[in-house]
Amino acid sequence: MARPITDKDRAAVKRLHAKGTSRNDIARAIKRSPSTVSKIAGAFDPPLTFDRAPQVEAATVARKADLAARRAEMAERLHDTAERELGKMQAKTLYWEWGGKDHTYAQKLADEPIPADRRAIMSIVATALDRSLKLVPPKDDAGAESRSVIGDLIAGLAADYTARHGGPPPEPEEPEAADDDAP
């Protein structure tokens, strides 16, 4: 048989709710189930609610901002890696080998990496930049937006001309070339 709800339970729920304690924390504090706490809270006039939507929304916004900052930081680190690796393309490179029947060590300092190593470096650079741009895509080109506005304006003017004159605007005439042989 369920334990009856007491005035002590009601007072504790009201007091803890006023402090902003969550339903589950109240249930733990008074050693009752969360559904019993909800039942007690609903019996008050007006009913006590445990609506935490504003706090959850604020926490979600903060979490998204934190993740965006972490993505931006990681994208920056990937760009740094790409730049560092790209610098190796023209750097002097030490090539070495160990072997032969006498187990000898030989090395050679090359002015720049061999083509196979350059290809590997380019792969690293491309991968780092690709991942960086996926983490934080670049903002749209403001010039493209203004060109789009100008294009829309020209199209609107052409449509207005067509509506007023019954046809498209005439093509501009090419200026005549100056005659260089004229006196």
Side-chain angles (χ1 to χ4, degrees):
M1 185 163 148
R3 192 173 65 174
I5 296 172
T6 65
D7 288 340
K8 183 178 174 184
D9 292 334
R10 288 184 190 90
V13 168
K14 191 168 191 172
R15 179 177 42 82
L16 292 170
H17 181 271
K19 288 183 179 179
T21 308
S22 72
R23 182 191 69 163
N24 291 348
D25 288 342
I26 292 172
R28 280 189 283 277
I30 66 171
K31 296 179 176 46
R32 300 299 294 249
S33 71
S35 63
T36 300
V37 172
S38 293
K39 187 185 290 186
I40 294 169
F44 285 103
D45 188 27
L48 305 177
T49 63
F50 295 98
D51 181 23
R52 296 180 49 215
Q55 293 93 338
V56 170
E57 184 177 346
T60 301
V61 167
R63 178 75 173 143
K64 285 181 180 179
D66 289 346
L67 289 174
R70 288 174 65 191
R71 279 194 308 275
E73 181 183 330
M74 189 168 289
E76 188 172 332
R77 288 174 56 198
L78 285 167
H79 262 77
D80 291 345
T81 297
E83 287 177 359
R84 185 179 64 247
E85 291 299 316
L86 197 56
K88 294 178 182 178
M89 292 289 280
Q90 289 86 30
K92 292 190 180 295
T93 306
L94 177 67
Y95 289 98
W96 57 273
E97 63 182 3
W98 184 272
K101 68 176 185 161
D102 297 327
H103 297 288
T104 58
Y105 174 79
Q107 69 181 31
K108 176 186 176 191
L109 187 62
D111 289 334
E112 61 183 29
I114 61 174
D117 291 344
R118 291 171 61 89
R119 189 170 37 255
I121 292 169
M122 285 302 295
S123 177
I124 293 168
V125 169
T127 300
L129 289 176
D130 179 61
R131 296 303 183 257
S132 170
L133 292 173
K134 284 184 179 178
L135 285 171
V136 182
K139 301 287 185 211
D140 287 340
D141 180 17
E145 185 177 321
S146 65
R147 287 188 297 273
S148 172
V149 169
I150 292 170
D152 291 345
L153 178 62
I154 291 172
L157 290 172
D160 182 61
Y161 184 93
T162 301
R164 289 179 181 214
H165 301 286
E171 293 293 323
E173 293 181 19
E174 294 289 325
E176 290 186 26
D179 190 7
D180 293 337
D181 296 333

